[in-house]
Amino acid sequence: MPARSRSTHSPQLDTIQMVEEFIREHSGEYKRRALWESLPKRMMYQTFKTIIEYLDESGKIASDSQGKICWIHNPDLVRKYALREDLRIR
């Protein structure tokens, strides 16, 4: 009997954006579980974990030494440094 493949669920864009906005507004205030419990919209913890993994891998968030989630993405700063000729990769 063939093994059943596990279906993966992708969070909806509005849910990802809600989590992003909440983290931006409360950067450095919550650890992972407390952040999930404080979100304005309830969701399954697995969905939340998927969003957190995506935000971490894309460089938008990081955890501090206490495990609190911090927003680190700054596109204006990235743009500023990307335009500097003296910082080009050679």
Side-chain angles (χ1 to χ4, degrees):
M1 180 173 194
R4 277 198 306 194
S5 65
R6 213 175 115 167
S7 64
T8 58
H9 170 72
S10 297
Q12 292 186 344
L13 179 59
D14 63 332
T15 304
I16 297 169
Q17 291 171 331
M18 182 266 300
V19 173
E20 285 182 340
E21 182 63 28
F22 189 84
I23 294 172
R24 273 195 298 271
E25 291 173 2
H26 300 280
S27 183
E29 292 180 31
Y30 297 104
K31 291 183 181 181
R32 184 182 290 222
R33 177 109 185 166
L35 176 66
W36 174 67
E37 291 170 347
S38 301
L39 290 171
K41 178 180 162 189
R42 301 304 301 160
M43 70 180 74
M44 293 186 64
Y45 193 69
Q46 185 61 38
T47 301
F48 173 73
K49 282 177 42 176
T50 300
I51 293 170
I52 292 298
E53 287 173 14
Y54 159 72
L55 295 175
D56 184 44
E57 290 172 7
S58 63
K60 292 183 176 185
I61 63 169
S63 297
D64 68 9
S65 61
Q66 298 175 333
K68 294 182 178 177
I69 306 294
C70 303
W71 185 261
I72 61 170
H73 184 65
N74 187 337
D76 293 332
L77 187 61
V78 170
R79 218 173 285 111
K80 174 185 171 184
Y81 285 109
L83 294 174
R84 286 186 46 185
E85 289 294 325
D86 60 321
L87 297 177
R88 297 276 181 211
I89 297 174
R90 298 166 203 229

